Every structure is written in C-alpha cells, then in structure tokens.
Amino acid sequence: MPNASSVLLEPTPNASYPPPSDDRDDALAQAEIAILASIFLLATLSNALVLGALFRQGRRASPMHRFIQHLCLADMTVALFQVLPQLIWDITDRFQGPDILCRAVTYLQVVGMFASSYVIVAMTYDRYRAICRPLLAFRRGTTSRHRPVLLAWAASFLLSLPQLFIFSKTELPSGAYECWAAFAEPWGARAYITWVFLMVFLLPTFFIATCQGMIFCEVYHSLRLGPEAALACKGSQQGSSPISGAVAKTLKMTLVIVLTYVFCWAPFFLVQLWAVWDPQPPTEGPAFTLLMLVASLNSCTNPWVYATFSNSISSELRRIFCPRWAHRKVSSLYEDSILTGSFSLGRDTLS
C-alpha cells in the first residue's frame, strides 16, 4: 500500500530498495483512512476557527498573533497538501494524476514540514530578542516587523525544491504507475533523508532549545535581581515590573508549541532514518504506519494550544459559537514584541 505520509522516502528500484508491494492490507488501509479523515477535519476546522478569530480582531491583533496566523497557515498547508493527498491516495490505492501533479503535491508536502518548523524558529527568535535584547529590538523599530517570518517561508519554499526532481510518476514492475522517489545512487536516499532530518528537525530544535535556555536564564536573573535592578540593567520604562503574567504566559505557550512539535515529529523522522540506514529496513506494519501518522497530529493540536494560552483568541472563539458574546466588551491589554519596537518586560504579551 502506498504511504504518502512518508513524503521523504518511497523506495524505488533506482534507490536499490524493493518496489512497493501490490498487496493491500484492507483492515490497515481502512484504519488509516479513518484516522487521516479525522485528522484532516480537525486540522482544517480548528485552524480555520483560529484564523477566523484572529481576522475578527483586525487592527487589535498583536505581533504575537501574527506568528500564530502563520503557524495556522503552515498547519493548513500540512492538512491540505500532506494529509488530504495521503487520504485520497489510500482511498484510490494508487496515485491518480499526471506527473506534474505528483511533483507539485510532494513539493508542497515538504513545504508544510519546513514551514511548521521554521515559523516556530522565527517565533522563538522573536521571544529571544524581546526578552534578552530589548534595546536592540527597540532601535530596529518596525523595519524588521515581518522579516523573521518571511525568511521562514522563503527558506521553506527554497529548501523543498529537491522534491520536484526526486519524485515523479513512475512505472512499477507490475505495470501500475505510482508517485515515487528515484535516486541515482544507492546512498541517495540516506543522504537526502539525513539532510532533511538535520534541516527540518535537528538543527531547528537545537536553535530553539538554545534560545529557550537563554530566555529562561534571563527571566531567572530578572526575578532574582528584583524589579529596580533588572529594569536598570535593561533600560526599560520606569514603573514596569520585570516579568508580567502575560509575558510568562507567552513563554509557556511557546514552550508547549515546541514540545508538541518535537513529540509529534520525532517518531516520523526516527522511522524515516531507521528505514534508510538499517540494512534490513522494517516492513510497513500497523506500528510503522501509526508512527508515521503521529506527525500530522501536530496540525490539530496547535490551534487548541493558542486558544488555551490566549485570552483574546478564546474570547473570539466564544463569540463565534455564542453570538451574545459579541455584545460583551473584552478588555484588551498591551502585547509586547520586538517587531513593534515597543517592548518592555512589564507589558502583557498574549491578551
């Protein structure tokens, strides 16, 4: 059974791996279709609701909410171009479409993977600059407002380009056609999977962990020094406290998003690496398939993380489901971000 969840590796004769078997485990296929359909519906609906809630805020949306918008867009990309094609693929059993569609779908599948990772990197870097380098952020002002997230998307589209050349509509020994990957050398699959693992998962995770470590060290020192000493060192506005409750909430939200991403995507990459580096790669059984599907759950969980930690998003969602909330005034607090050049540790960040 073809498995488009494994968007990086599909063994081909050119890659010195056995071609896919024509045998189809109907029970496993039905289970996978049910899981993928549930993930697709949850991911599209929940991300659409959060995007709708942010859209309703209009100009009241904070810079932090801009990052949440882009994370929602990255998750929608995963849902529409990774989960949905896999669902259709499992229903039809074979890829149905021309070669150009094969290349486009596999390209966009990896774009979603890169974007999910790199937008989190941009958001974490934003928090690092806001907490650890506020004066530098203030001097840069609004000129760098969208730079981190634009760089994240640009890198995602650029680094996904190899997919256009690796995947194609290939004729299998049985005579059927499949959207499959072909590598000129036997070690090509290992090199490519390892490269994507480093660029999508390992290096971003290391960068995020480093930024988070420095952020928490800065928070710890600010709390230990006390309000006056901490603010004197930072040159922040007089009368502000070093760490507000909303700042702490923003940091917690970022940490939860990062941990959820690692938890969901780590099994996917471990299975991919195992499949290409083990001399006797595992066969695709139920455990193998379910581990591959865990990665897609990340697109479902993120919107609920945003709603949990953001009072304004949760309030807008209540208004969507309960129109009577539209007549109730919800207080709005300042939201800090280095992107506005107006950061102080005392301002609220995720109202």
Side-chain angles (χ1 to χ4, degrees):
M1 181 179 66
N3 190 350
S5 296
S6 181
V7 298
L8 301 180
L9 171 65
E10 296 292 358
T12 66
N14 291 350
S16 74
Y17 291 96
S21 173
D22 287 330
D23 296 333
R24 178 182 172 93
D25 187 334
D26 290 332
L28 179 59
Q30 292 174 3
E32 188 173 355
I33 289 171
I35 293 173
L36 286 171
S38 301
I39 291 175
F40 175 72
L41 291 175
L42 285 173
T44 51
L45 290 177
S46 56
N47 281 285
L49 284 172
V50 172
L51 286 172
L54 292 172
F55 179 77
R56 286 166 62 94
Q57 289 188 333
R59 294 184 178 181
R60 293 185 292 115
S62 72
M64 190 62 182
H65 287 158
R66 304 301 181 191
F67 281 101
I68 295 177
Q69 285 179 338
H70 285 280
L71 280 172
C72 285
L73 291 175
D75 289 333
M76 289 289 282
T77 302
V78 172
L80 293 174
F81 298 109
Q82 183 168 325
V83 179
L84 181 59
Q86 171 64 46
L87 175 61
I88 297 173
W89 205 332
D90 285 342
I91 293 174
T92 60
D93 191 32
R94 290 297 179 194
F95 177 80
Q96 305 293 325
D99 179 72
I100 189 172
L101 181 62
C102 165
R103 297 175 188 268
V105 167
T106 53
Y107 170 71
L108 291 172
Q109 284 178 330
V110 178
V111 167
M113 293 174 57
F114 272 103
S116 297
S117 178
Y118 285 6
V119 173
I120 295 176
V121 168
M123 183 175 66
T124 305
Y125 181 63
D126 173 80
R127 296 298 87 199
Y128 163 75
R129 289 201 299 174
I131 300 295
C132 301
R133 297 289 185 270
L135 296 181
L136 176 62
F138 181 80
R139 284 196 298 268
R140 291 184 177 180
T142 59
T143 57
S144 60
R145 173 173 297 179
H146 303 293
R147 188 176 301 167
V149 76
L150 290 178
L151 287 175
W153 279 104
S156 300
F157 282 104
L158 180 63
L159 296 177
S160 301
L161 286 175
Q163 289 283 107
L164 294 174
F165 305 97
I166 291 174
F167 277 82
S168 62
K169 190 171 182 180
T170 306
E171 184 177 5
L172 303 179
S174 62
Y177 285 87
E178 190 60 275
C179 184
W180 225 247
F183 297 93
E185 300 292 340
W187 47 263
R190 292 180 179 178
Y192 184 58
I193 297 297
T194 305
W195 176 78
V196 174
F197 167 70
L198 291 174
M199 299 302 296
V200 174
F201 188 78
L202 188 60
L203 293 181
T205 301
F206 177 78
F207 178 86
I208 291 169
T210 302
C211 287
Q212 289 282 23
M214 290 188 287
I215 288 171
F216 286 118
C217 285
E218 187 67 32
V219 170
Y220 171 77
H221 288 307
S222 296
L223 293 174
R224 191 178 69 170
L225 289 173
E228 290 79 8
L231 292 172
C233 293
K234 289 288 181 184
S236 299
Q237 297 176 358
Q238 190 175 7
S240 297
S241 60
I243 298 296
S244 70
V247 172
K249 185 186 289 188
T250 304
L251 297 178
K252 290 178 183 178
M253 186 195 73
T254 305
L255 181 60
V256 171
I257 291 173
V258 171
L259 292 178
T260 303
Y261 175 82
V262 172
F263 174 79
C264 291
W265 283 97
F268 174 86
F269 283 107
L270 290 177
V271 169
Q272 291 279 354
L273 291 170
W274 183 15
V276 294
W277 284 100
D278 192 335
Q280 296 180 340
T283 57
E284 293 191 16
F288 185 97
T289 300
L290 291 177
L291 283 175
M292 299 293 290
L293 294 177
V294 169
S296 301
L297 289 175
N298 187 231
S299 300
C300 303
T301 56
N302 280 339
W304 303 110
V305 174
Y306 313 146
T308 300
F309 285 92
S310 175
N311 294 332
S312 57
I313 292 178
S314 59
S315 297
E316 290 293 346
L317 291 176
R318 292 190 190 100
R319 291 183 182 186
I320 292 174
F321 289 105
C322 301
R324 61 189 179 88
W325 273 74
H327 302 290
R328 301 176 62 176
K329 184 177 180 180
V330 180
S331 61
S332 179
L333 301 176
Y334 287 102
E335 308 213 17
D336 81 272
S337 173
I338 56 93
L339 301 181
T340 62
S342 60
F343 170 81
S344 86
L345 284 173
R347 289 188 176 178
D348 295 292
T349 63
L350 202 62
S351 63

